[in-house]
Every structure is written in structure tokens, then in C-alpha cells.
Amino acid sequence: MKAIAVDPAARQVGIVEHDEPRLAGAHDVLVRMLDVGVCGTDREICHFAFGIPPGGSRYLTLGHESLGEVRDAGAEVTGLRNGDLVVGIVRRPCGVASCRPCHAGRQDFCSTGEYIERGIVKLHGFMTGLIVEQPDFLCVVPQELRDIAVLTEPLTIAEKALRQVDSVQQRLPWSGRRAIVLGAGPVGLLGAMALRVRGFDTWVYSREPQADPRVRIVEAMGATYVSSTETSAAQLADLTGGIDLVYEATGFAPVSFDVLRYLGPNGVYVFTGIPGPRPPEAYDLDDIMRNMVLRNQVVLGTVNADRQSYTDAIADLGLFARRFPEAVKGLITKRYQLKEYADVLSGHAPGIKSVLSMEHAL
């Protein structure tokens, strides 16, 4: 079968012939891949910034945002049937005896950094025709979410982050509900939707002009769009009447730290983006530190997600589809065929979320 893969040693990206997997154990599940979302991580791997093939393989099959269909299962698999739609969990435990998070099933908090991840680190990803997986790393999706279920993995970022925010804000039952989302990419827009269904007054702050289609998506979910090219961070804080929560989804440090200066008393700031290589810049760290202490602020970073975040994301996608159907459907700009992978992975495909169909991978 075909797979889209990167060969780091040869610095090549392309379609390869990949061995078709077979059930080998009573707990194996055979999954036919349907859709795979493409994100900045995939593009960075294609530029050889990171990405590690599995042992014994020259190449790494790409893809970690998945939707598949169960085709077969081992004799001892329960809770999954042929025809079920499923999404795959990305990260696997590190296996190090001293890693308490991984032993507790929370490999998203792995303390050793030796975890493995589908399509990223030491494990082939989902951009192929078939995979074999264990039930613990598959989550069932309702059939009615077929068209948008590939958004599950990027939404898990917000789900995990907002669970942590809830834990932090339990210290203050009077916590405010004014949230700023930095960035209008898929992670930012999905985060904004998650905030809206939780009752937050939500502003999306990004560089796109008011005429951009993303602005219509923001408005369709009942949020407010503010362009960073027209409004400074200080003006944004005045416009909102104060900032209680920031959900950062840009990976762009200058804007992110500029907005951090205006986080309100008792506020929570969540970093989800990873900056690319840039020349160093100067910041007034004294001012940031002073505010964090005197205003009782919390800043946290979050990456990857656990099974609970996946099930929460699936439930929220169903809620999004009922409350603002056009907005959530509008996140997927286009589905591309396998042969069109180059434009998608190079970043030349326009729009918000590009999805590769695995229809012709077998």
C-alpha cells in the first residue's frame, strides 16, 4: 500500500510503498484510514526540523490527525466493531520505570521525554491505507461526525488546556469569563469554540484583516474578532474591559508576550504554540514578573493530550455541530487526494485546515 513519508537521512519527502499490516495478536485492531489532517508539525518534519523514524526503518510515515474505520479486530477486542469510526491517540508511554505520569496513563505529562508519537517520533503515522492499533489508543466517533471528526486531535489541545484552567480557577469561585484567543488557525478557532460553549466572552486576536473568511467563522460562533494589524495589545485590553484568560495558539513570541503584559488580576495564560527559529528579542521581564506576583497570575504550557481529552473533544465536536454548524464545517477548507500531498505539506495550500484523503492509499 502507499504511504506519505519523510526520509530524514536522504532529506526526501514522497509517496513510498509501505507494507500492509496484519493482525498479529488477540488485542490488535485493523483500521482503514479515511482522513488525515495536516498541520504545522507535519510541515516542520518535512523541512527536517525534527521527526524520528521507527527503529529499522529509513523513513517515517507522516500524519497524527486521524480518522479511520475499523475493518477487523482480534478475538479479545471489546467495545469496537467493524464499521466503527475511530480517531487515534498520538502519544505512547515512554516505558521508563521511574516515569510516574506514563505509568498512570498520562503520557501527555511524560517526565523523561522518551515517549513515542505516531507520525512524529519513532512510530509510523496515519498517512497510509491501513494501520494496526491497540484499543487503548482508539476512540470511537459517532457516524454523524464523519465530516468533521478529523478535527478531534487539534481540539484535544484546547480540551486538555481548559481542564487545567478549570483546576486553577477552582481557587477563585469568582474568576472572570473574558477570554482572548491568540491566532485564527485551526487550534485557535477550535479553542475559541470550546471557550464559547463554556460560556466565555471570547475575542480572537490575529493578524488577518477583517475581510478574511476566518472572521466570518469567529462571528458565527458568537465571538468577536480583532485584527492585531489594527489594534495594539493595550487597546485590546481596553476593548475587552480586562483579560481573565489567554489561550495562545500562534507560536509567535513577540505578540504572545505583548499580550501577557495585559493579563488581568488572577488571570490564567495558556501557551500551546512552539516558536520557530528567530533572532532573540528583548522583553521587559521585570514588568512581567512584577505583574505575575502582584496580580496572582498563572502561566502554563500544555502539549499533547490524554484519552479523556480525546473523548471530551469528540463530545464537543458534536456540540459545535449543533450550536454553530457552519463555523465548524468551515474550518476544513478542502480535502485533497493523495497525489496532491506536495502542495499540502509545503504549506502552499490556502485556507484553514487541509485534509488528505487516504482513499487511494490501498
Side-chain angles (χ1 to χ4, degrees), residues 116-183:
I116 58 178
E117 293 178 323
R118 275 205 179 267
I120 305 173
V121 181
K122 300 180 182 178
L123 189 62
H124 287 308
F126 299 114
M127 286 187 189
T128 188
L130 295 165
I131 66 162
V132 168
E133 187 55 279
Q134 299 295 299
D136 286 349
F137 299 107
L138 295 171
C139 298
V140 177
V141 178
Q143 293 288 337
E144 59 267 26
L145 297 182
R146 166 65 179 88
D147 290 344
I148 59 174
V150 73
L151 298 172
T152 299
E153 194 279 338
L155 178 55
T156 63
I157 300 169
E159 300 293 347
K160 177 184 173 182
L162 293 180
R163 280 166 56 206
Q164 294 180 72
V165 169
D166 286 343
S167 296
V168 171
Q169 289 189 331
Q170 286 178 3
R171 64 184 181 149
L172 300 173
W174 53 85
S175 295
R177 309 292 286 181
R178 294 167 297 190
I180 301 295
V181 174
L182 302 185

Side-chain angles (χ1 to χ4, degrees), residues 6 8 40-42 44-52 60 117 119-121 274:
V6 58
T41 297
D42 300 305
E44 289 176 358
I45 293 172
C46 289
H47 284 91
F48 315 107
F50 54 92
I52 304 174
L60 170 71
E117 293 178 323
I120 305 173
V121 181
I274 300 175

